[in-house]
């Protein structure tokens, strides 16, 4: 955004994001990145923006909330057989009101949603409190001298916030409150839906006649025993039914969630709401991920001057203890070591790939067997392969900048960010054509209408043969067609994946939501 005047929205809204996490306060994955960046981008365009999330305290990183002040506002929430008091903390930063809901259930060691023994048993309670508090915050908190009021756009993220549209429809609109408010459900990952036994429904404090909105029945094969009726309540389903619009984090994923393969049991319901379902690709934080200013890389560069890229590669080879050869293609992988990311397929092709004159660097942690495989492969191919077990932000930046090719053979990927980072850094992505990967990586075509086109390679179906063939195509292009490779790098670097671009598309969804009447039964 350097030297570029910030675009302003034509119509401004009061926007309330509700989320289980937001960077830099609390983050476990892409959800935290989105909810830490998109609100800032919308505020920069002139909207009034509030983010409501829990105030997690674990005794170690409490400094994240050091600048948040106690608002002296208390509310009591009727649910789970009692009346539970929560309080609000507030920080105004980057033109956004960051509101933290405080309750003892958010104060515990471990991570956000669980500890070494698994997910917390009271997560349903913890996020029910968050949803009630988020509905009250625009009515009771005087931020900057005045409340947000009733004409709000609620942006609810994943299952943690999914009770908000249900509450608006069942407990507010029937009494004349929030008649002019709208809600948008943003699905970051459909695999997590907030499913609990049906017997917990009375705990939620909702009217009995609204049970159908959350009602969920497991198919017979998923039940635990013959007498199990499979009856449950599903938070995310409640939001799919009652939200005014639904957004996924890529166009490809918005189609995949309506298929039996990608819909995680909600495909028919999401298919029935296709008319209000859209996909918007996540942006990237240009302050963190910019090769011209990145503090983690040894040499800066840009699309106009790529010389620093070669120096980053040489320094990465030196850091990893690989032979410093500028001519050899260096392939990278960054991500969790699990089934979703396709690591088992990388493992299968590695013996064939190691016969090529290449180098390969992997960074990630997860499945202990795959961690062991990475280390044994490194000892077998000392001059070609490096496996860094664990995760390090600076190292991920240096691998992104120093590699020539980034491999992402994910089985499914709602959006994916690493391929966006790679293109920003002139690293050519080779990806499985699924979800956001299919949307963002344009296949290389040396014979396009206007000359060469494309920013990388997206292959399908996901097989070892396909992946190996595509990698070999990329490797030969790198070796034999230097000018084509430079074109691939520059086209990737010139793509606009900024949050401002994504924010503009969200404004269109807001406009559509306010054209329609809100959800009522």
């Amino acid at each position: 955004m350097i030297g570029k005047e910030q675009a302003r929205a034509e119509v401004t809204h009061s926007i309330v994001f509700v989320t289980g996490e937001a960077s830099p306060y609390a983050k476990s994955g892409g959800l935290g990145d989105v909810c830490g960046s998109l609100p800032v981008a919308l505020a920069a365009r002139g909207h009034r923006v509030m983010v409501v999330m829990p105030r997690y305290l674990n005794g170690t990183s409490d400094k994240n909330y050091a600048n948040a002040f106690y608002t002296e506002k208390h509310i009591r929430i009727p649910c789970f057989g009692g009346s539970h008091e929560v309080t609000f903390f507030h920080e105004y930063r980057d033109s956004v009101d960051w509101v933290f809901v405080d309750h003892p259930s958010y104060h515990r060691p471990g991570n956000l949603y669980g500890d070494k023994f698994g997910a917390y048993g009271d997560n349903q309670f913890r996020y029910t409190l968050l949803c009630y508090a988020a509905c009250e915050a625009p009515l009771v908190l005087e931020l900057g001298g005045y409340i947000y009021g009733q004409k709000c756009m609620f942006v609810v993220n994943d299952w943690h916030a999914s009770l908000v549209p249900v509450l608006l429809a069942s407990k507010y609109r029937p009494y004349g409150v929030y008649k002019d408010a709208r809600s948008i459900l943003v699905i970051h990952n459909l695999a997590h839906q907030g499913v609990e036994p049906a017997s917990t429904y009375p705990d939620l404090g909702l009217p009995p006649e609204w049970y159908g909105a959350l009602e969920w029945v497991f198919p017979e094969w998923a039940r635990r025993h013959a007498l199990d009726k499979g009856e449950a309540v599903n938070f995310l389903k409640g939001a799919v039914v009652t939200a005014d619009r639904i957004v996924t984090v890529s166009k490809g994923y918005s189609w995949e969630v309506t298929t039996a393969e990608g819909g995680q049991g909600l495909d028919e319901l999401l298919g029935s709401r296709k008319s209000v379902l859209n996909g918007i690709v996540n942006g990237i934080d240009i302050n963190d991920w910019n090769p011209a200013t990145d503090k983690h890389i040894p040499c800066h560069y840009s699309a106009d001057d790529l010389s620093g890229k070669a120096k980053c590669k040489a320094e990465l080879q030196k850091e990893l203890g690989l032979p410093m050869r500028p001519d050899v293609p260096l392939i990278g992988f960054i991500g969790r070591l699990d089934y979703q990311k396709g690591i088992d397929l990388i493992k299968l092709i590695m013996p064939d790939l190691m016969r090529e004159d290449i180098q390969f660097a992997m960074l990630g942690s997860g499945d202990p067997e795959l961690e062991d495989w990475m280390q044994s492969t490194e000892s077998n191919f000392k001059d070609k392969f490096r496996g860094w077990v664990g995760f390090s932000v600076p190292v991920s930046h240096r691998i992104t900048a120093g590699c020539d090719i980034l491999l992402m053979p994910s089985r499914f990927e709602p959006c994916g960010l690493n391929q966006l980072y790679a293109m920003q850094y002139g690293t050519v992505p080779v990806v499985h054509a699924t979800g956001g990967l299919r949307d963002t990586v344009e296949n290389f075509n040396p014979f396009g209408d206007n000359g060469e086109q494309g920013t990388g390679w997206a292959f399908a179906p996901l097989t070892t043969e396909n992946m190996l063939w595509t990698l070999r195509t990329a490797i030969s292009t790198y070796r034999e067609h230097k000018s084509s490779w430079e074109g691939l790098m520059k086209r990737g670097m010139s793509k606009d994946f900024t949050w401002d671009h994504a924010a503009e598309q969200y404004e269109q969804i807001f406009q559509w939501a306010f054209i329609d009447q809100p959800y009522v039964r």
Side-chain angles (χ1 to χ4, degrees), residues 165 168-169 173 182 210 213 241-244 273 517-521:
L168 294 178
R173 286 196 191 115
R182 298 292 186 276
W210 278 82
V241 170
T242 55
D244 297 302
R273 302 218 67 199
Q517 289 298 305
Y519 176 89
V520 287
R521 277 181 65 166

Side-chain angles (χ1 to χ4, degrees), residues 15-22 31 35 39 49-54 97 99 101 106 113 126-138 152-165 167-168 178 182-186 188:
I15 303 167
V16 181
F17 277 79
V18 190
T19 177
E21 58 186 80
L31 170 62
C35 293
V49 185
M50 177 198 302
V51 178
V52 184
M53 64 175 283
D97 291 303
V99 172
V101 180
Y106 303 131
Y113 312 118
R126 298 166 82 220
Y127 295 107
T128 297
L129 289 185
L130 172 68
C131 294
Y132 272 94
C135 290
E136 286 293 304
C152 286
M153 170 56 70
F154 286 91
V155 181
V156 303
N157 296 273
D158 276 354
W159 80 264
H160 320 101
S162 286
L163 216 53
V164 168
L167 289 168
L168 294 178
Y178 283 135
R182 298 292 186 276
S183 61
I184 292 174
L185 168 66
V186 184
H188 301 261

Side-chain angles (χ1 to χ4, degrees), residues 31 33 93 119 142 389 392 411 501:
L31 170 62
D33 286 326
R93 179 181 61 79
E142 292 181 18
V389 174
S392 158
R411 282 185 165 81
H501 183 62

Side-chain angles (χ1 to χ4, degrees), residues 201-485:
Y201 181 79
D203 294 338
L204 305 180
L206 294 169
E209 64 270 20
W210 278 82
Y211 174 71
L214 276 73
E215 183 180 16
W216 181 252
V217 181
F218 282 102
E220 283 187 24
W221 60 264
R223 300 178 194 175
R224 287 172 295 184
H225 49 76
L227 298 178
D228 183 0
K229 294 180 180 176
E231 294 173 355
V233 288
N234 183 326
F235 271 36
L236 193 69
K237 184 219 168 184
V240 170
V241 170
T242 55
D244 297 302
R245 303 218 43 119
I246 303 168
V247 175
T248 65
V249 289
S250 69
K251 285 189 174 65
Y253 197 52
S254 71
W255 170 77
E256 283 174 15
V257 297
T258 63
T259 67
E261 293 82 5
Q264 305 277 355
L266 287 174
D267 44 289
E268 289 186 13
L269 186 59
L270 284 160
S272 73
R273 302 218 67 199
K274 248 182 192 162
S275 61
V276 296
L277 175 61
N278 295 90
I280 298 174
V281 171
N282 287 339
I284 59 177
D285 190 333
I286 213 72
N287 297 316
D288 282 346
W289 292 92
N290 184 349
T293 57
D294 192 332
K295 63 180 184 289
H296 298 300
I297 63 176
C299 193
H300 294 148
Y301 60 95
S302 66
D304 298 325
D305 179 10
L306 288 166
S307 58
K309 172 91 173 160
K311 292 172 187 167
C312 286
K313 179 177 177 177
E315 287 297 320
L316 180 64
Q317 288 170 324
K318 183 178 174 183
E319 181 180 358
L320 297 177
L322 291 166
M324 290 172 67
R325 295 176 54 197
D327 58 311
V328 68
L330 176 53
I331 303 169
F333 170 88
I334 302 167
R336 286 195 320 277
L337 304 182
D338 65 17
Y339 180 77
Q340 183 206 330
K341 300 297 182 184
I343 312 296
D344 53 321
L345 300 173
I346 296 178
K347 183 179 171 182
L348 288 171
I349 69 162
M350 198 53 71
D352 285 328
L353 202 55
M354 289 291 102
R355 293 193 187 99
E356 306 277 341
D357 185 19
I358 60 135
Q359 293 175 347
F360 202 109
M362 291 183 75
L363 171 69
S365 61
D367 185 330
E369 283 185 22
L370 292 170
E371 291 180 357
D372 292 343
W373 164 76
M374 254 173 36
Q375 290 175 323
S376 65
T377 306
E378 181 175 314
S379 61
N380 292 334
F381 301 98
K382 287 190 172 65
D383 288 347
K384 290 189 169 184
F385 185 93
R386 285 292 177 274
W388 185 306
V389 174
F391 190 75
S392 158
V393 170
V395 175
S396 72
H397 280 246
R398 290 198 288 275
I399 289 178
T400 302
C403 283
D404 300 298
I405 297 168
L406 185 85
L407 178 61
M408 286 185 75
S410 303
R411 282 185 165 81
F412 68 93
E413 196 67 70
C415 177
L417 290 172
N418 285 338
Q419 83 280 12
L420 306 183
Y421 300 150
M423 287 188 276
Q424 186 77 14
Y425 281 66
T427 300
V428 178
V430 173
V431 303
H432 173 218
T434 182
L437 301 180
R438 186 202 294 114
D439 286 1
T440 54
V441 178
E442 186 187 344
N443 253 317
F444 176 53
N445 177 9
F447 309 112
D449 294 340
N450 302 313
E452 293 185 346
Q453 294 174 335
T455 55
W457 283 268
F459 63 88
L462 181 58
T463 63
T464 51
E465 294 82 6
N466 244 348
M467 179 161 41
L468 202 52
W469 185 86
T470 309
L471 277 172
R472 284 175 172 154
T473 304
I475 290 164
S476 65
T477 306
Y478 173 85
R479 286 194 198 286
E480 298 160 26
H481 304 281
K482 290 293 184 190
S483 63
S484 296
W485 193 264

Side-chain angles (χ1 to χ4, degrees), residues 103-162:
H103 183 268
S105 66
Y106 303 131
H107 306 172
R108 58 182 62 159
N111 64 29
L112 310 184
Y113 312 118
D115 54 23
K116 63 183 179 182
F117 302 109
Y120 296 130
D122 63 346
N123 274 344
Q124 186 190 46
F125 168 69
R126 298 166 82 220
Y127 295 107
T128 297
L129 289 185
L130 172 68
C131 294
Y132 272 94
C135 290
E136 286 293 304
L139 304 176
V140 302
L141 295 181
E142 292 181 18
L143 307 176
Y146 62 107
I147 63 171
Y148 272 58
Q150 295 187 33
K151 192 175 180 181
C152 286
M153 170 56 70
F154 286 91
V155 181
V156 303
N157 296 273
D158 276 354
W159 80 264
H160 320 101
S162 286

